[in-house]
Amino acid sequence: MMFAASGQNDKDRRIQQLYFVLFGIMTLLLVLPVLIILTTLVVKGGPALSIDFLFTKPTNGMTAGGIFPALLGTIWLVLVALLFSVPLGVAAAIYLSEYAPENVFTRIINLAIINLAGVPSIVHALFGVGAFVIFFRFGTSILAASLTLGIMTLPVVIVATRESLQAVPQAFREACWNMGATRWQTIRRVVLPNAVTGILTGIILEVSRTAGETAPIMFTGAAFFLPFLPQGVLDQTMALSLHLFVVSTQVPDMPEHLPFGVALVLIGIVLIMNSVSIALRMYLRGKKKW
Amino acid sequence: MWKGVLAEFATQESNAAPAAIRTRDLNLWYGTFQALFDINLNVRNGIITSLIGPSGCGKSTFLRSVNRINERLGYVRIAGSIDVMGNNIFAPDVELLQVRKQVGMVFQRPNPLPLSIRDNVLFGHRLHEANKAAENDVVEKALREVLLWDKVKDRLNQPAIGLSLEEQQKLCIARLLPVKPRVLLMDEPCSALDPKGTEAVEELIWELRGDYTILIVTHNMAQARRASEECVFMLMGKVVEHTATDTMFVTPENKETADYIEGRYG
Ligand SMILES: Nc1ncnc2c1ncn2[C@@H]1O[C@H](COP(=O)(O)OP(=O)(O)O)[C@@H](O)[C@H]1O
Ligand SMILES: [Mg+2]
């Protein structure tokens, strides 16, 4: 019988099953902590959540009331950071991917970008203090904090954008050039429209990262507690990440559900952002025309 | 001595009908690797010239020099001159995109843009003219010229990628036409197609003859023989022979040419 199993087949199959189980367990170990954290947060923080919690100010030395100023502050910080890092990052990526010649200079820039991505956030924070708070005299303000966040996430934007640009087939560019299109016309009409989804995904991921950062904003613009909302970019602001740190460690007599509630909101924002990004990517991959 | 005679012959000829593409001592390097050696070629105006030779001999490199698309690579260096329709394309006052408008290129793999059929045809037109009213005519004229109009006239707004490879390749030729090129460079335009598609595109190329100067790279000896009037044989970055196609296939002057034509190279 030609297809009968041999002893060697059995052994191979057992080894194959062993690896299957092994890798399965590893994967589970990876997912487990996430699940535990999420369940704990939902169980302990869930009761704190309500419309009021999201839209009122903290009261009683932050041991009661809501998180509105911190939530609003995080949105401010992220938006201003995006306003800075997206145009700059996208423009830099377009230059690097579409215009820059291959030479020592561009290689140094690429190296710098990779290194910038690896700089610890506390170093960014101190840079932010030196550059924006003191040198540019923005003081501790939303502007200074957002610029610090923006610089920190710049490499992410650049790398994400550059990758999406490079995913657009070279044949499209050559097709355009051969009809007498300039580089910019090619980028504007063919490259960008086909890369925009990847760029957007990258930016959304950046938002979720920015929203959770604490160190870079701590010395540059975020305050423990403020009795009023920021009126402009030169005011200080509260922020969710810092607020979480404060209510978990700095305030006595804190009811347990409150920090968990703050954490839940923060992680909720991050998860929602990531899901949007994944959904967008899947939707657009389905629509991809090449 | 015969070289001098040949040169003389070339000059006389160029006086009579200026070459569409004329190169003088063209050398090209990719970094330190030299891909083209002293190419002196006159591609005659208004006819089909085929360019044959084994893989890696520099056919694509030559084509990509004529529309200056190779220069995008920072490590490419070119010496010598290329004239297109009597004008030096490396002259300092040359506008790169004017060169590219005059010299259209068709690639081995059809590369329609991820747009509708109509938008593909109009892409070049819209770059250079804002005349919206003429668009319908432009589309019809270009698609008729490539023998595609009757097949696609009812689905102009559908994505070009939905066409068969043969139709895509015809579309890629069609979208060059509204820009009014003088020279069409075709780099193995049929090698991604089945025999029927090949035949159809060959027929089209033959139709375009006269209106455009066509330089076509092909690995298909039968195609070169059928579809071209002059033939250039390249080997290792050099032009070995350039004669009328009939002559080359019947009485090749060089041993290498004969060997290649008879299939003794890869
Ligand atoms: N972008 C490039 N960088 C470096 N070398 C190249 C590049 N393109 C082609 N070459 C080299 O130049 C030679 C000629 O290539 P090509 O013009 O593509 O040949 P053909 O089209 O005749 O097959 C080959 O040896 C190839 O390896
Ligand atoms: Mg080639």
Side-chain angles (χ1 to χ4, degrees):
Chain A
M1 169 49 182
M2 190 178 169
F3 299 119
S6 70
Q8 182 63 31
N9 289 150
D10 281 342
K11 197 174 149 225
D12 286 349
R13 186 163 42 231
R14 272 198 305 280
I15 293 178
Q16 128 88 12
Q17 275 164 354
L18 183 72
Y19 275 106
F20 184 79
V21 172
L22 206 68
F23 288 140
I25 293 174
M26 304 264 232
T27 314
L28 211 63
L29 282 180
L30 215 96
V31 179
L32 216 57
V34 180
L35 283 181
I36 294 175
I37 293 175
L38 276 182
T39 351
T40 319
L41 282 181
V42 171
V43 170
K44 296 201 173 173
L49 285 196
S50 67
I51 297 290
D52 273 359
F53 184 67
L54 292 179
F55 292 108
T56 59
K57 289 183 185 181
T59 50
N60 277 346
M62 291 192 269
T63 57
I67 54 167
F68 185 63
L71 185 60
L72 188 73
T74 291
I75 293 173
W76 264 106
L77 288 170
V78 170
L79 283 184
V80 178
L82 284 182
L83 237 50
F84 165 72
S85 64
V86 169
L88 201 66
V90 171
I94 289 179
Y95 174 76
L96 286 172
S97 144
E98 305 293 320
Y99 289 95
E102 270 280 335
N103 58 25
V104 180
F105 179 63
T106 42
R107 238 169 288 154
I108 290 175
I109 293 183
N110 283 325
L111 209 63
I113 292 169
I114 294 168
N115 280 314
L116 194 62
V119 172
S121 57
I122 187 69
V123 176
H124 280 291
L126 295 176
F127 169 78
V129 173
F132 304 123
V133 177
I134 297 170
F135 184 79
F136 286 110
R137 296 172 199 278
F138 296 150
T140 45
S141 62
I142 292 178
L143 187 59
S146 289
L147 288 176
T148 312
L149 283 175
I151 295 241
M152 204 185 75
T153 48
L154 204 51
V156 183
V157 182
I158 295 178
V159 170
T161 307
R162 200 174 47 185
E163 271 166 13
S164 341
L165 292 175
Q166 276 163 6
V168 177
Q170 191 60 26
F172 291 175
R173 296 182 181 84
E174 293 188 341
C176 294
W177 295 338
N178 267 301
M179 288 181 271
T182 61
R183 288 214 165 195
W184 174 242
Q185 284 169 327
T186 306
I187 295 167
R188 179 63 252 295
R189 294 179 192 219
V190 172
V191 180
L192 273 184
N194 284 290
V196 75
T197 56
I199 299 175
L200 271 183
T201 325
I203 291 172
I204 297 171
L205 284 179
E206 186 214 341
V207 169
S208 74
R209 249 197 82 192
T210 316
E213 280 295 339
T214 320
I217 58 175
M218 220 161 140
F219 315 121
T220 50
F224 277 34
F225 177 77
L226 290 172
F228 33 73
L229 297 174
Q231 302 300 306
V233 289
L234 288 175
D235 288 347
Q236 290 189 52
T237 180
M238 293 175 71
L240 271 183
S241 52
L242 186 61
H243 190 61
L244 176 58
F245 169 69
V246 172
V247 293
S248 331
T249 61
Q250 307 291 303
V251 185
D253 303 325
M254 181 60 62
E256 196 198 39
H257 65 86
L258 205 136
F260 279 104
V262 179
L264 192 57
V265 173
L266 190 56
I267 211 165
I269 292 178
V270 172
L271 284 184
I272 289 173
M273 282 301 170
N274 288 355
S275 318
V276 168
S277 152
I278 291 168
L280 191 68
R281 194 182 306 205
M282 277 178 2
Y283 169 70
L284 293 161
R285 188 172 299 158
K287 260 186 53 175
K288 203 164 226 169
K289 305 162 211 95
W290 31 275
Chain B
M1 186 268 189
W2 61 272
K3 251 191 174 161
V5 175
L6 214 63
E8 187 135 310
F9 176 68
T11 350
Q12 275 176 5
E13 191 179 50
S14 69
N15 285 343
I21 305 170
R22 180 173 184 271
T23 71
R24 283 297 163 263
D25 300 322
L26 180 68
N27 287 274
L28 183 145
W29 293 262
Y30 291 110
T32 54
F33 173 77
Q34 185 162 8
L36 297 179
F37 296 83
D38 294 325
I39 307 278
N40 287 296
L41 203 59
N42 282 347
V43 175
R44 264 176 52 206
N45 200 358
I47 68 164
I48 303 178
T49 303
S50 61
L51 181 53
I52 59 172
S55 279
C57 71
K59 304 180 299 294
S60 300
T61 303
F62 178 73
L63 247 55
R64 296 165 69 86
S65 312
V66 177
N67 66 356
R68 292 185 59 181
I69 218 157
N70 253 341
E71 290 162 44
R72 192 183 57 81
L73 304 167
Y75 54 92
V76 169
R77 196 162 62 80
I78 297 174
S81 72
I82 303 178
D83 292 0
V84 171
M85 309 309 294
N87 297 293
N88 180 3
I89 62 168
F90 295 121
D93 57 343
V94 159
E95 177 73 45
L96 198 54
L97 54 99
Q98 292 300 337
V99 174
R100 302 238 174 96
K101 276 173 72 173
Q102 295 291 320
V103 184
M105 186 149 178
V106 180
F107 299 84
Q108 191 166 352
R109 274 210 72 75
N111 59 348
L113 295 169
L115 305 168
S116 70
I117 296 172
R118 188 183 146 85
D119 289 340
N120 260 284
V121 178
L122 286 172
F123 193 92
H125 175 77
R126 285 175 178 158
L127 290 173
H128 310 295
E129 273 171 62
N131 186 354
K132 279 248 178 237
E135 286 189 351
N136 285 335
D137 292 341
V138 169
V139 173
E140 180 169 348
K141 183 160 177 289
L143 287 174
R144 273 194 195 284
E145 254 189 283
V146 299
L147 318 173
L148 205 55
W149 173 250
D150 291 323
K151 258 194 220 152
V152 302
K153 63 170 184 258
D154 299 323
R155 44 178 173 144
L156 292 175
N157 291 316
Q158 286 176 19
I161 203 76
L163 297 171
S164 73
L165 281 178
E166 170 204 330
E167 291 160 347
Q168 285 183 23
Q169 195 62 298
K170 287 180 169 176
L171 180 68
C172 290
I173 298 173
R175 72 179 173 198
L176 296 172
L177 306 183
V179 185
K180 304 191 176 65
R182 305 293 298 273
V183 176
L184 295 179
L185 306 171
M186 305 192 177
D187 196 350
E188 303 186 35
C190 299
S191 65
L193 310 181
D194 59 16
K196 256 194 95 213
T198 302
E199 197 181 317
V201 171
E202 258 180 44
E203 184 191 327
L204 161 64
I205 294 172
W206 197 252
E207 291 275 324
L208 294 173
R209 181 191 173 275
D211 297 335
Y212 307 93
T213 301
I214 296 173
L215 180 59
I216 176 174
V217 171
T218 175
H219 272 294
N220 181 335
M221 290 305 111
Q223 182 176 64
R225 197 163 181 181
R226 266 197 309 270
S228 69
E229 291 149 281
E230 288 192 1
C231 194
V232 178
F233 173 61
M234 280 181 74
L235 190 62
M236 316 236 312
K238 295 182 179 128
V239 170
V240 175
E241 193 163 338
H242 176 192
T243 55
T245 304
D246 290 337
T247 316
M248 183 174 291
F249 279 87
V250 179
T251 52
E253 196 158 316
N254 290 275
K255 186 173 175 318
E256 289 104 328
T257 317
D259 285 350
Y260 180 73
I261 290 173
E262 284 159 28
R264 265 171 268 160
Y265 286 94

